[in-house]
Amino acid sequence: MSDDHHHPSARTPIEDRVDALEALLVERGIIDPAAIDAIVEHYEHAVGPMNGARVVARAWVDPAFRARLLADGTAAIAELGFGGPEGDHMVVVENTAAVHNLVVCTLCSCYPWPVLGLPPNWYKSPPYRARAVREPRVLLAEMGCAVPDDVEIRVWDSSAEVRYLVLPERPEGTDGLDEDALAALVTRDSMIGVARL
Amino acid sequence: VMMQGHLSGRFRHAIERMDPSWYLASSYYEHWLTAAATGLVEAGIITQADLDARLGAPFPVARPMRAPRLADPGPSVDAHRFAVGDEVRVREWHPFGHTRAPRYVQGKRGTVVRLDGIFSLPDVEYHCDHKRTEPTYSVRFEADELWGSPGDPVHVDLWDSYLEPVTE
């Protein structure tokens, strides 16, 4: 098929297309550049995995909060002041001695923005999206996460409105640490399920 | 405009309509850019000619919508048909339009593990002026059932009309 609008054989660089579209929309008054800047600012600075880390640390030190978190993720996360788009229906899944949880969106890239920020590139890539459901144990091993044979891996495909957060197990030897110090131990990857702490 | 665009299935379905070889070879943000341009042209806010002229080259967009427009969304369902522990099977069908039933679970048997909220059915919403709302569920599928060999279970979140009861 020769060059057409649906399968062009040589595309102009993406930056040129972004510039063309943005210029057109600003010129027509359809978008406000200041609004775009505010959104970028919000997702660069105000939202990120440090939010999820606070949720995890609180669950580690406060058993009642942990129970509320597992019963109603959205409400418990909101207690810490986090919420918003892509986090309106949160389910928190806990890792235990018998279970390791892994989150994916096979259909696109659904991700719990309010607690983890914007998803990493690998999470949005076709190989991760396909292999997380097809061969999670092999995939995790390749990503440096060895899950013992007697631990079940539960994969959660975010195909509807629920967004998932993994509650990792608290590492051994952390009894003396306060909540801030505990939060500093929690990685983004552990809350997606591709790492263990 | 952009935030709303991302959250809607209209945006997702535009990405799904990208030529597959282009989709797999392009970056995530190129998918977003293409969906935004496609959506704006299809909504009549800008024209393909506007884009081509501004770019100085054909501005690539997704393939046209193939699913017919629905006049009737069908009846909304406000109560869960299934309970935790019920065995269900995912309907087997492959529409031209948007669906959130992943292909790898279609026709497969699983167990309901969680009842979730009632939400607009994407298969209807992006092809109809009216919405149909239905309960959603998390359904657990064993690896044997999905892939024909032992492995770890997968939980998929599914709308009520995607599911049929298993009677045997």
mmCIF file of all heavy atoms in Angstrom, chain B residues 104-127:
data_model
loop_
_atom_site.group_PDB
_atom_site.id
_atom_site.type_symbol
_atom_site.label_atom_id
_atom_site.label_comp_id
_atom_site.label_asym_id
_atom_site.label_seq_id
_atom_site.Cartn_x
_atom_site.Cartn_y
_atom_site.Cartn_z
ATOM 1 N N TYR B 104 -7.624 -12.902 25.386
ATOM 2 C CA TYR B 104 -7.041 -14.128 25.940
ATOM 3 C C TYR B 104 -7.941 -14.814 26.963
ATOM 4 O O TYR B 104 -7.692 -15.967 27.324
ATOM 5 C CB TYR B 104 -5.637 -13.854 26.517
ATOM 6 C CG TYR B 104 -5.580 -13.087 27.820
ATOM 7 C CD1 TYR B 104 -5.545 -13.742 29.048
ATOM 8 C CD2 TYR B 104 -5.519 -11.689 27.835
ATOM 9 C CE1 TYR B 104 -5.468 -13.042 30.244
ATOM 10 C CE2 TYR B 104 -5.449 -10.978 29.017
ATOM 11 C CZ TYR B 104 -5.425 -11.662 30.232
ATOM 12 O OH TYR B 104 -5.348 -10.954 31.409
ATOM 13 N N VAL B 105 -9.001 -14.124 27.427
ATOM 14 C CA VAL B 105 -9.921 -14.790 28.353
ATOM 15 C C VAL B 105 -11.252 -15.128 27.697
ATOM 16 O O VAL B 105 -12.106 -15.758 28.334
ATOM 17 C CB VAL B 105 -10.188 -13.965 29.641
ATOM 18 C CG1 VAL B 105 -8.917 -13.840 30.458
ATOM 19 C CG2 VAL B 105 -10.810 -12.615 29.330
ATOM 20 N N GLN B 106 -11.458 -14.755 26.472
ATOM 21 C CA GLN B 106 -12.737 -15.040 25.852
ATOM 22 C C GLN B 106 -12.934 -16.540 25.677
ATOM 23 O O GLN B 106 -12.049 -17.247 25.203
ATOM 24 C CB GLN B 106 -12.836 -14.298 24.520
ATOM 25 C CG GLN B 106 -12.942 -12.790 24.736
ATOM 26 C CD GLN B 106 -13.494 -12.061 23.545
ATOM 27 O OE1 GLN B 106 -14.104 -12.677 22.684
ATOM 28 N NE2 GLN B 106 -13.299 -10.753 23.501
ATOM 29 N N GLY B 107 -14.108 -17.000 26.071
ATOM 30 C CA GLY B 107 -14.407 -18.426 26.023
ATOM 31 C C GLY B 107 -13.851 -19.186 27.205
ATOM 32 O O GLY B 107 -14.094 -20.403 27.333
ATOM 33 N N LYS B 108 -13.142 -18.526 28.096
ATOM 34 C CA LYS B 108 -12.482 -19.210 29.213
ATOM 35 C C LYS B 108 -13.340 -19.184 30.473
ATOM 36 O O LYS B 108 -14.137 -18.272 30.689
ATOM 37 C CB LYS B 108 -11.126 -18.558 29.510
ATOM 38 C CG LYS B 108 -10.162 -18.571 28.336
ATOM 39 C CD LYS B 108 -9.839 -19.966 27.871
ATOM 40 C CE LYS B 108 -8.804 -19.925 26.761
ATOM 41 N NZ LYS B 108 -8.486 -21.277 26.276
ATOM 42 N N ARG B 109 -13.100 -20.159 31.313
ATOM 43 C CA ARG B 109 -13.869 -20.359 32.541
ATOM 44 C C ARG B 109 -13.065 -19.869 33.725
ATOM 45 O O ARG B 109 -11.854 -20.145 33.821
ATOM 46 C CB ARG B 109 -14.152 -21.848 32.664
ATOM 47 C CG ARG B 109 -14.831 -22.277 33.924
ATOM 48 C CD ARG B 109 -15.059 -23.784 33.832
ATOM 49 N NE ARG B 109 -15.693 -24.288 35.038
ATOM 50 C CZ ARG B 109 -16.495 -25.340 35.068
ATOM 51 N NH1 ARG B 109 -16.750 -26.015 33.962
ATOM 52 N NH2 ARG B 109 -17.020 -25.753 36.207
ATOM 53 N N GLY B 110 -13.726 -19.156 34.627
ATOM 54 C CA GLY B 110 -13.041 -18.652 35.811
ATOM 55 C C GLY B 110 -13.987 -18.575 36.992
ATOM 56 O O GLY B 110 -15.162 -18.956 36.901
ATOM 57 N N THR B 111 -13.455 -18.061 38.094
ATOM 58 C CA THR B 111 -14.217 -17.946 39.337
ATOM 59 C C THR B 111 -14.280 -16.489 39.766
ATOM 60 O O THR B 111 -13.253 -15.803 39.784
ATOM 61 C CB THR B 111 -13.526 -18.755 40.458
ATOM 62 O OG1 THR B 111 -13.294 -20.085 40.007
ATOM 63 C CG2 THR B 111 -14.371 -18.779 41.719
ATOM 64 N N VAL B 112 -15.456 -16.034 40.124
ATOM 65 C CA VAL B 112 -15.604 -14.652 40.607
ATOM 66 C C VAL B 112 -14.933 -14.538 41.976
ATOM 67 O O VAL B 112 -15.217 -15.323 42.882
ATOM 68 C CB VAL B 112 -17.097 -14.273 40.719
ATOM 69 C CG1 VAL B 112 -17.257 -12.886 41.342
ATOM 70 C CG2 VAL B 112 -17.759 -14.318 39.349
ATOM 71 N N VAL B 113 -14.020 -13.583 42.131
ATOM 72 C CA VAL B 113 -13.357 -13.398 43.421
ATOM 73 C C VAL B 113 -13.725 -12.085 44.096
ATOM 74 O O VAL B 113 -13.481 -11.906 45.291
ATOM 75 C CB VAL B 113 -11.813 -13.496 43.314
ATOM 76 C CG1 VAL B 113 -11.386 -14.847 42.775
ATOM 77 C CG2 VAL B 113 -11.236 -12.366 42.496
ATOM 78 N N ARG B 114 -14.296 -11.142 43.361
ATOM 79 C CA ARG B 114 -14.608 -9.840 43.954
ATOM 80 C C ARG B 114 -15.720 -9.184 43.149
ATOM 81 O O ARG B 114 -15.753 -9.305 41.922
ATOM 82 C CB ARG B 114 -13.350 -8.956 43.915
ATOM 83 C CG ARG B 114 -13.375 -7.741 44.847
ATOM 84 C CD ARG B 114 -12.091 -6.897 44.738
ATOM 85 N NE ARG B 114 -11.999 -6.285 43.429
ATOM 86 C CZ ARG B 114 -10.952 -6.448 42.614
ATOM 87 N NH1 ARG B 114 -9.911 -7.165 42.985
ATOM 88 N NH2 ARG B 114 -10.956 -5.865 41.429
ATOM 89 N N LEU B 115 -16.626 -8.504 43.852
ATOM 90 C CA LEU B 115 -17.655 -7.726 43.176
ATOM 91 C C LEU B 115 -17.245 -6.263 43.216
ATOM 92 O O LEU B 115 -16.943 -5.729 44.293
ATOM 93 C CB LEU B 115 -19.013 -7.894 43.882
ATOM 94 C CG LEU B 115 -19.539 -9.314 44.077
ATOM 95 C CD1 LEU B 115 -20.990 -9.292 44.524
ATOM 96 C CD2 LEU B 115 -19.394 -10.152 42.833
ATOM 97 N N ASP B 116 -17.211 -5.621 42.072
ATOM 98 C CA ASP B 116 -16.832 -4.218 42.012
ATOM 99 C C ASP B 116 -18.033 -3.359 41.634
ATOM 100 O O ASP B 116 -19.163 -3.844 41.558
ATOM 101 C CB ASP B 116 -15.682 -4.028 41.006
ATOM 102 C CG ASP B 116 -14.375 -4.607 41.516
ATOM 103 O OD1 ASP B 116 -14.139 -4.573 42.739
ATOM 104 O OD2 ASP B 116 -13.585 -5.109 40.682
ATOM 105 N N GLY B 117 -17.779 -2.076 41.390
ATOM 106 C CA GLY B 117 -18.869 -1.124 41.193
ATOM 107 C C GLY B 117 -19.583 -1.256 39.863
ATOM 108 O O GLY B 117 -19.258 -2.097 39.024
ATOM 109 N N ILE B 118 -20.585 -0.409 39.709
ATOM 110 C CA ILE B 118 -21.384 -0.374 38.486
ATOM 111 C C ILE B 118 -20.882 0.770 37.620
ATOM 112 O O ILE B 118 -20.832 1.924 38.069
ATOM 113 C CB ILE B 118 -22.873 -0.196 38.842
ATOM 114 C CG1 ILE B 118 -23.331 -1.439 39.616
ATOM 115 C CG2 ILE B 118 -23.707 0.021 37.588
ATOM 116 C CD1 ILE B 118 -24.728 -1.378 40.146
ATOM 117 N N PHE B 119 -20.501 0.441 36.397
ATOM 118 C CA PHE B 119 -19.865 1.429 35.523
ATOM 119 C C PHE B 119 -20.419 1.348 34.120
ATOM 120 O O PHE B 119 -20.975 0.326 33.696
ATOM 121 C CB PHE B 119 -18.346 1.197 35.474
ATOM 122 C CG PHE B 119 -17.670 1.294 36.804
ATOM 123 C CD1 PHE B 119 -17.187 0.157 37.433
ATOM 124 C CD2 PHE B 119 -17.520 2.524 37.430
ATOM 125 C CE1 PHE B 119 -16.562 0.243 38.674
ATOM 126 C CE2 PHE B 119 -16.892 2.619 38.667
ATOM 127 C CZ PHE B 119 -16.421 1.471 39.293
ATOM 128 N N SER B 120 -20.199 2.437 33.383
ATOM 129 C CA SER B 120 -20.609 2.495 31.985
ATOM 130 C C SER B 120 -19.853 1.435 31.186
ATOM 131 O O SER B 120 -18.638 1.310 31.286
ATOM 132 C CB SER B 120 -20.292 3.889 31.438
ATOM 133 O OG SER B 120 -20.453 3.929 30.048
ATOM 134 N N LEU B 121 -20.595 0.668 30.378
ATOM 135 C CA LEU B 121 -20.009 -0.388 29.552
ATOM 136 C C LEU B 121 -19.310 0.239 28.351
ATOM 137 O O LEU B 121 -19.957 0.883 27.520
ATOM 138 C CB LEU B 121 -21.116 -1.343 29.097
ATOM 139 C CG LEU B 121 -20.712 -2.500 28.195
ATOM 140 C CD1 LEU B 121 -19.798 -3.472 28.948
ATOM 141 C CD2 LEU B 121 -21.959 -3.236 27.709
ATOM 142 N N PRO B 122 -18.000 0.079 28.255
ATOM 143 C CA PRO B 122 -17.257 0.752 27.182
ATOM 144 C C PRO B 122 -17.692 0.319 25.787
ATOM 145 O O PRO B 122 -17.671 1.130 24.858
ATOM 146 C CB PRO B 122 -15.810 0.334 27.434
ATOM 147 C CG PRO B 122 -15.761 -0.075 28.862
ATOM 148 C CD PRO B 122 -17.114 -0.656 29.156
ATOM 149 N N ASP B 123 -18.096 -0.949 25.642
ATOM 150 C CA ASP B 123 -18.514 -1.453 24.336
ATOM 151 C C ASP B 123 -19.676 -0.639 23.775
ATOM 152 O O ASP B 123 -19.827 -0.508 22.564
ATOM 153 C CB ASP B 123 -18.967 -2.910 24.441
ATOM 154 C CG ASP B 123 -17.959 -3.773 25.179
ATOM 155 O OD1 ASP B 123 -17.540 -3.386 26.288
ATOM 156 O OD2 ASP B 123 -17.619 -4.834 24.660
ATOM 157 N N VAL B 124 -20.509 -0.110 24.685
ATOM 158 C CA VAL B 124 -21.644 0.726 24.279
ATOM 159 C C VAL B 124 -21.251 2.189 24.236
ATOM 160 O O VAL B 124 -21.529 2.900 23.268
ATOM 161 C CB VAL B 124 -22.829 0.510 25.239
ATOM 162 C CG1 VAL B 124 -23.893 1.594 25.060
ATOM 163 C CG2 VAL B 124 -23.443 -0.860 25.015
ATOM 164 N N GLU B 125 -20.560 2.655 25.283
ATOM 165 C CA GLU B 125 -20.330 4.090 25.456
ATOM 166 C C GLU B 125 -19.679 4.747 24.253
ATOM 167 O O GLU B 125 -20.026 5.876 23.894
ATOM 168 C CB GLU B 125 -19.480 4.349 26.701
ATOM 169 C CG GLU B 125 -19.254 5.837 26.941
ATOM 170 C CD GLU B 125 -18.576 6.148 28.257
ATOM 171 O OE1 GLU B 125 -18.678 5.329 29.202
ATOM 172 O OE2 GLU B 125 -17.939 7.206 28.346
ATOM 173 N N TYR B 126 -18.730 4.048 23.636
ATOM 174 C CA TYR B 126 -17.976 4.714 22.572
ATOM 175 C C TYR B 126 -18.635 4.572 21.215
ATOM 176 O O TYR B 126 -18.112 5.030 20.215
ATOM 177 C CB TYR B 126 -16.540 4.206 22.583
ATOM 178 C CG TYR B 126 -16.051 4.209 23.998
ATOM 179 C CD1 TYR B 126 -15.512 3.083 24.588
ATOM 180 C CD2 TYR B 126 -16.237 5.332 24.806
ATOM 181 C CE1 TYR B 126 -15.148 3.089 25.921
ATOM 182 C CE2 TYR B 126 -15.880 5.344 26.144
ATOM 183 C CZ TYR B 126 -15.338 4.213 26.700
ATOM 184 O OH TYR B 126 -14.989 4.203 28.012
ATOM 185 N N HIS B 127 -19.810 3.951 21.199
ATOM 186 C CA HIS B 127 -20.512 3.769 19.925
ATOM 187 C C HIS B 127 -21.964 4.213 20.003
ATOM 188 O O HIS B 127 -22.750 3.881 19.127
ATOM 189 C CB HIS B 127 -20.426 2.300 19.499
ATOM 190 C CG HIS B 127 -19.017 1.818 19.356
ATOM 191 N ND1 HIS B 127 -18.173 2.267 18.370
ATOM 192 C CD2 HIS B 127 -18.293 0.951 20.105
ATOM 193 C CE1 HIS B 127 -16.987 1.685 18.514
ATOM 194 N NE2 HIS B 127 -17.027 0.886 19.554
#
